[in-house]
Amino acid sequence: MMPRLAVFPKGFFTDLVEHRMTLTRWLDIAAGLGVDGVEMYPKFLFSLNGGPLRAVRGEAAARGLAIPMMCHSPDFTIPDAAGRAAEVARTEEVIAATADLGGTFCRVLSGQNRPRLDAVKALGWVMASIEALLPVAARHGVTLVIENHYKDGLWEYPEFAQSRDRFLAILKAVPELKVQYDPSNAVVAGEDPYALLDEVLPRVATMHASDRYLEGGTVADLRAQAADPVHGYARILKHGVIGRGFNDYDRIFQALAGAGFAGWVSIEDGEAPTEEEGVANLKTSAVFLRARLAAHFGASGGAA
């Protein structure tokens, strides 16, 4: 079965979060990309209530788009127990919103790698938080997926479980949890993206398709910036047109096809000086991914 193709507006992320771009405008753009769905982020929405969410779902459906995935960024490494409880409660709302939008996958993360965190305690907090959410997700028919992640665009510090060892420790401790695989994030973390894929392959339920490049620096420079962070992504780290960066998508899709993967692949692209260039980049990425998916999974498929 051909995996279905969604799109996440990485290049328009800030405009959507700050509501300088309307969600209607983004859905119009996505409808012209030849994709099957859009991946949502909670701060793109004015409300997590059922009525407004069903209206958004209707707007997407009118354009032939599903909303299968929620790109949520819970922060479960807050040292204060009340702060972590608030993150769990917020994630419960996001899971319900995912279902109202018609989605079946909600991303979770570990949290921020704050200075002087006790790593053992923090891993325990993350595991306990995710375990508390599993029955909530099951009631809503939503699968929780944890991404091997770099950093949320609104965070100050990078991902606590950016390293392979911490990421795999969480998966081992929470066997019901599935994986959202992002090869670019593995590269940024200094890991082998193909070795990581081999280790998590049976649990991959969704994928972020991205390509990264470093503008005016190296991975070592990126790590130095992470030690003295600013909010959001380091300026030298860019999302590029897919197929032109670090990743070997033939190798990745061959492995996924061999494992019987049939989930959603979500494009992360669109960074450019202008909206027009961003949309053009997204179209190029979509065409590339459609071709590589067809080569490895067969030419049939499309929106469900």
Side-chain angles (χ1 to χ4, degrees), residues 67-288:
I67 306 178
M69 306 161 67
M70 182 70 83
C71 187
H72 183 42
S73 301
D75 187 355
F76 297 136
T77 61
I78 298 172
D80 175 60
R84 295 195 302 277
E87 288 292 302
V88 170
R90 171 68 173 176
T91 304
E92 290 178 354
E93 294 179 2
V94 173
I95 290 168
T98 302
D100 280 332
L101 290 167
T104 52
F105 298 101
C106 181
R107 183 185 78 172
V108 291
L109 299 175
S110 61
Q112 298 187 62
N113 193 22
R114 294 175 169 83
R116 296 176 294 281
L117 265 183
D118 182 311
V120 174
K121 286 184 178 179
L123 272 173
W125 299 337
V126 172
M127 294 165 184
S129 298
I130 294 173
E131 286 173 344
L133 291 164
L134 288 169
V136 178
R139 285 199 302 272
H140 288 282
V142 171
T143 298
L144 297 184
V145 292
I146 187 167
E147 183 179 346
N148 60 301
H149 198 236
Y150 162 63
K151 185 182 187 182
D152 182 83
L154 301 179
W155 281 4
E156 184 172 4
Y157 299 103
E159 178 76 26
F160 171 74
Q162 188 180 111
S163 72
R164 167 192 169 278
D165 289 347
R166 288 179 183 173
F167 185 68
L168 294 179
I170 294 167
L171 287 171
K172 182 178 180 180
V174 190
E176 302 93 334
L177 187 61
K178 301 301 182 184
V179 169
Q180 178 159 286
Y181 171 68
D182 186 321
S184 297
N185 286 338
V187 173
V188 170
E191 308 284 358
D192 181 331
Y194 315 112
L196 179 65
L197 178 58
D198 287 343
E199 290 189 88
V200 301
L201 195 54
R203 292 172 69 173
V204 176
T206 59
M207 177 181 171
H208 269 177
S210 64
D211 248 340
R212 304 284 187 88
Y213 66 95
L214 296 173
E215 187 177 80
T218 66
V219 171
D221 296 327
L222 185 65
R223 294 212 179 89
Q225 290 185 25
D228 185 19
V230 295
H231 286 282
Y233 276 27
R235 290 183 179 179
I236 66 170
L237 182 62
K238 304 294 183 182
H239 280 75
V241 174
I242 298 168
R244 300 179 184 173
F246 297 143
N247 299 313
D248 182 343
Y249 274 91
D250 285 313
R251 183 173 178 178
I252 292 165
F253 287 159
Q254 182 178 28
L256 289 171
F261 174 78
W264 283 86
V265 175
S266 185
I267 303 167
E268 277 194 304
D269 189 13
E271 285 192 346
T274 68
E275 180 180 308
E276 291 75 14
E277 291 175 86
V279 171
N281 288 346
L282 281 169
K283 287 182 178 178
T284 301
S285 291
V287 168
F288 170 82

Side-chain angles (χ1 to χ4, degrees), residues 16 21-28 40 44-45 56 59:
L16 282 160
M21 175 183 280
T22 67
L23 198 50
T24 296
R25 172 60 183 152
W26 164 239
L27 292 175
D28 284 339
M40 201 58 66
F44 296 168
L45 303 159
V56 171
E59 281 197 66

